[in-house]
Amino acid sequence: MDVPAADLVAEFSPPEGRGGAGLAREFTRRTLVRWGYTGVHDDVVLAVSELVANANRHARGPAVLKLLGGVRRVRVEVSDGSPEQPGQRVAGVRGGWGLPLIGRLSRAWGVTPLAHGKVVWCELG
């Protein structure tokens, strides 16, 4: 998705390890309120939590969360330093719920390769 010039942008680098996803959720909540986002905030917060947790669990280096959008829609992007593409696993007690959940919450999602890593993104609204 090309980002229109009128989109608002907010960026956060959550710390690696325990607590990073929680700080990303709080950052997202504050951002959505500041933007006056009219969609379901809990859906965006859940998507952020899953994507940041996946990056912290499976990728190399720190993740960077970027939110783009405004009142009616939000694009969540989480970049990391691993070129490895995420894959869906069988859901169960050891995980595997993340990407199917992202698929159900969002209008679209995908992965964009970078020179040194990737961006996993989803769009809600």
Side-chain angles (χ1 to χ4, degrees), residues 45-119:
V45 170
L46 183 55
V48 163
S49 186
E50 286 295 328
L51 293 180
V52 168
N54 282 350
N56 282 342
R57 188 175 303 120
H58 301 293
R60 293 189 294 250
V64 176
L65 166 65
K66 186 184 282 188
L67 302 173
L68 305 100
V71 174
R72 292 198 170 94
R73 66 176 183 77
V74 172
R75 178 179 169 109
V76 175
E77 297 182 350
V78 176
S79 61
D80 64 60
S82 172
E84 188 173 327
Q85 298 292 302
Q88 291 192 21
R89 298 179 296 144
V90 176
V93 293
R94 295 186 185 206
W97 302 99
L99 291 179
L101 179 63
I102 295 299
R104 296 202 77 169
L105 290 173
S106 62
R107 292 188 292 173
W109 74 273
V111 181
T112 303
L114 301 173
H116 296 92
K118 67 182 171 299
V119 174

